[in-house]
Structures are given as structure tokens and as C-alpha cells.
Amino acid sequence: MTAFLRLAALVLLVPSLASAEVVWKGDFETGNISQWTRSQSVSNSRLQVVTDMVREGRYALKATVRQGDDPIGASGNRNELLYISEEKAGSTYFYKWSTLFPKDYPLSDGWQVFAQWHQEGCCGSPPLEFFVKGDQMFLRVGGSEGPIPWQGPLSRGSWHDFVLQVKWSSNAKVGFVQLWHNGKLALPKTMGATQFGSEMNYLKLGLYREDTIQPEASVYHDGFTMSTALEDVIPPAPVPEPVPEPTPTPTPVPEPTPTPTPDPSPTPTPTPTPTPPPVITVPTLPGTGTPNVGVVNNPGDGTNNPMSDSGAQGCGASATGGAPFVAATALLAMATLLSRRRKPAPVRAPRR
């Protein structure tokens, strides 16, 4: 039983040990400004805890300034919250907060401070301050004549997340600042005097601006945390959600290409057999065997005779009576030949 009680006590101590590095919170999650030491404002309405414009949790601060707001009778117009942090020389802290400038926030060439670590003395510019001029934000270290190691666009209408590391020292070779803006390292470790002599600093958050600026302006702050460990002010990077494996696209199976059915071969048209020209038979005269050369075997009416209607005939046989004339001449020649062969030989007396 005793061992169980010891284990339970150890478990109860774990949450407090895990957050032991957080020195202070001014995140307004109490629903009011009770986390802060005091305020410098002309009216409670100038420093309101609101729920309609927050960066984290349920509450944030809306700081409003009008021309003439001067609650402490000093230069400029202001409405600010104070936290007496009293950082000692040689100490190092991390500060986290978020600030939003509405889209209608008035731009001016005059200075407008929205966060500062002021020295205990009464007067002069602080050793460390964030301010707006025109459409840019600036970080200055070392008072009004100190260097400006960082600047960035005002980007009205969007939250600006700041994480600032400071080593407090009046020795410029010992003190330094380092800044993260919107989750990225915006200013690497930069040496500089972050204190004035032996004076300790205190935090002021709200809006403090040059008294020549006329339009009313409001700015929102949320989530202020002071810690000695970086992991308390920079949340771990979110674990990326696993990317689902893409569903493989099924490979489409190509449809078989249909084999074209060949057209039936057309029946070849038979090549007509040429008709041979008519054979012209030349009659042979009886008993001679010599062809009748001068006779054309055409009908007498001129059919198939290309010259029949053309007037003058060619220089061949006569158009009429050619064949009987030739036949008669041949018969007469044969008769003469036969008559010569039939003459009796003269009787000659035998030679003795």
C-alpha cells in the first residue's frame, strides 16, 4: 500500500516538473487582466479581454488608442499593460506572444510601439522595443540610437507569432537577441546591449504611439508566455498526416481487335478471246497451182470496204469485171499451148 501511494505521488508531480521552465503566463485565459501587474490606460474600455479575435485558447487582449489618450502625462498616446518581470543582468529568457493588426489599421510615418521592455528609469526610449512605421515592423536594441537588426512586413489582417530570446546585459559583447517569426528563424543570434547600466527591465504590452497620429487604432495580443526553455514557447512541429497510398489504377485490358472478314473475291471478268480475222481463201486456177493474186474477196455491195464510198478506187483491180477477164486470158493461153503440142511432127525420111 505504501509503495502504491509513493507511485501515485510521483505521477502527480510529473505535470508540474514538465512545466517547471515556464516562469510566467499573461495569456488572458483567466478572462481578465489579473495576470498582469497593472495597466496604464485612460479607461477600462481601452484594454478589453475579448473572445471574438483570439490566436489560442478562449481569450485575447484588444488594445485601443485614440488621439489624446495620455494616462501618465508623458510623451505620446498610450494604453498598455505592465508586468514587472525584473530580469537580472546575465539572465536569459524566451518570450512568446502573438499580435494582430486589423485590416483597417491606420498606416503612419510616426512610430507606434506594440511591445517593449522598458528600463526602471523614467525617461527615454527602452533598450528593447517592437514598433511599426509605415507598413513595416521593426525590432530595435539599445535605445533610440540603437541598431535595428530585424524588420518585416506589417501584413494587416494576419496573426504574427513571435518568439524572442534575450540575454540581458548592458555589455554589447555579452547581451544578445534571437528572433523567430511565424515559426521560422527570422534573426539569428545577434549581439547587443539589452540593458541600461544596472537598471532592470519590465514588460509593457498594448499600443503606444506618436501623439500626432489622429485615427483611432486597435491591436490584438494573445498567448504571452515567459520561459527559460525554448521547447515551452515553440510547440513541436505537427506530425504530418500519413499520405494514403494511391489506389493503383487497374490496367485496362485492350479489347481484341476483330479480324476483318475478307470481302469475297470478285469473279474475274473473263478476257474475251479475240476473234481471228476471217481467212480469205484465194482460189487456185485449175491445172496451175498459182494463186489468183489480183482478186479481193469482198462482197460487191461495198460492205467492209473502207474505200467503197470514197470516190476514186485504188490502183488494184477494176471495180467491175476484173475476175472474168483474168480467167479468160488464162484459158486462152492454155488453149494456145495445147494447140502447139498437137501439131504432127513432119515426116522425115530415115537417114540411111
Side-chain angles (χ1 to χ4, degrees):
M1 185 66 179
T2 303
F4 175 79
L5 292 176
R6 289 177 180 175
L7 179 61
L10 180 61
V11 171
L12 292 174
L13 286 174
V14 169
S16 60
L17 292 175
S19 60
E21 304 296 341
V22 175
V23 177
W24 170 74
K25 276 183 175 289
D27 56 5
F28 311 105
E29 289 306 302
T30 57
N32 52 39
I33 60 173
S34 62
Q35 296 165 307
W36 295 77
T37 305
R38 64 175 182 266
S39 66
Q40 293 177 342
S41 65
V42 297
S43 169
N44 291 336
S45 62
R46 300 291 200 271
L47 296 173
Q48 292 181 316
V49 175
V50 298
T51 58
D52 60 337
M53 187 69 71
V54 298
R55 181 57 169 164
E56 60 182 66
R58 298 175 56 192
Y59 301 100
L61 174 71
K62 179 182 181 182
T64 302
V65 173
R66 297 175 183 172
Q67 190 175 32
D69 287 354
D70 186 6
I72 61 174
S75 62
N77 299 148
R78 77 182 75 210
N79 289 293
E80 296 176 293
L81 289 175
L82 284 73
Y83 177 68
I84 309 302
S85 51
E86 296 185 338
E87 295 90 342
K88 296 180 180 180
S91 62
T92 302
Y93 292 98
F94 293 90
Y95 306 89
K96 180 209 72 151
W97 78 99
S98 298
T99 299
L100 181 141
F101 300 90
K103 291 183 178 180
D104 59 352
Y105 188 85
L107 302 181
S108 172
D109 290 334
W111 49 264
Q112 304 182 74
V113 178
F114 60 92
Q116 59 175 316
W117 282 258
H118 202 282
Q119 71 277 17
E120 290 177 323
C122 70
C123 305
S125 296
L128 198 156
E129 61 181 332
F130 285 83
F131 67 95
V132 172
K133 190 172 184 179
D135 61 353
Q136 295 289 308
M137 300 179 297
F138 301 88
L139 165 63
R140 180 160 54 197
V141 179
S144 59
E145 302 300 324
I148 297 177
W150 175 83
Q151 76 176 73
L154 185 60
S155 300
R156 292 177 294 177
S158 300
W159 283 99
H160 295 275
D161 299 326
F162 297 100
V163 172
L164 176 67
Q165 181 187 17
V166 183
K167 182 167 186 178
W168 299 104
S169 176
S170 58
N171 187 339
K173 295 183 179 180
V174 176
F176 66 82
V177 294
Q178 186 168 206
L179 177 67
W180 289 262
H181 177 241
N182 291 342
K184 296 181 180 179
L185 181 64
L187 175 66
K189 183 178 178 180
T190 302
M191 309 305 294
T194 55
Q195 283 183 307
F196 292 160
S198 60
E199 294 184 78
M200 291 188 292
N201 300 324
Y202 60 92
L203 170 66
K204 301 185 76 175
L205 188 72
L207 184 58
Y208 167 44
R209 69 184 192 180
E210 191 172 322
D211 56 12
T212 60
I213 301 174
Q214 297 181 1
E216 178 180 319
S218 295
V219 63
Y220 295 85
H221 298 290
D222 197 6
F224 205 101
T225 302
M226 176 180 175
S227 177
T228 57
L230 178 63
E231 57 267 24
D232 287 331
V233 294
I234 294 185
V239 178
E241 295 182 2
V243 178
E245 295 184 1
T247 303
T249 303
T251 304
V253 179
E255 296 183 359
T257 304
T259 304
T261 303
D263 294 335
S265 301
T267 303
T269 304
T271 304
T273 304
T275 305
V279 179
I280 301 175
T281 304
V282 180
T284 304
L285 295 177
T288 63
T290 303
N292 187 4
V293 178
V295 179
V296 179
N297 190 17
N298 281 335
D301 58 0
T303 306
N304 295 328
N305 185 357
M307 302 295 290
S308 61
D309 296 328
S310 61
Q313 305 294 317
C315 56
S318 174
T320 58
F325 175 76
V326 174
T329 303
L331 292 175
L332 181 59
M334 290 177 63
T336 301
L337 181 59
L338 291 175
S339 65
R340 288 179 180 178
R341 289 180 180 179
R342 291 177 180 175
K343 286 183 178 182
V347 179
R348 295 181 181 179
R351 293 182 181 180
R352 294 182 178 181

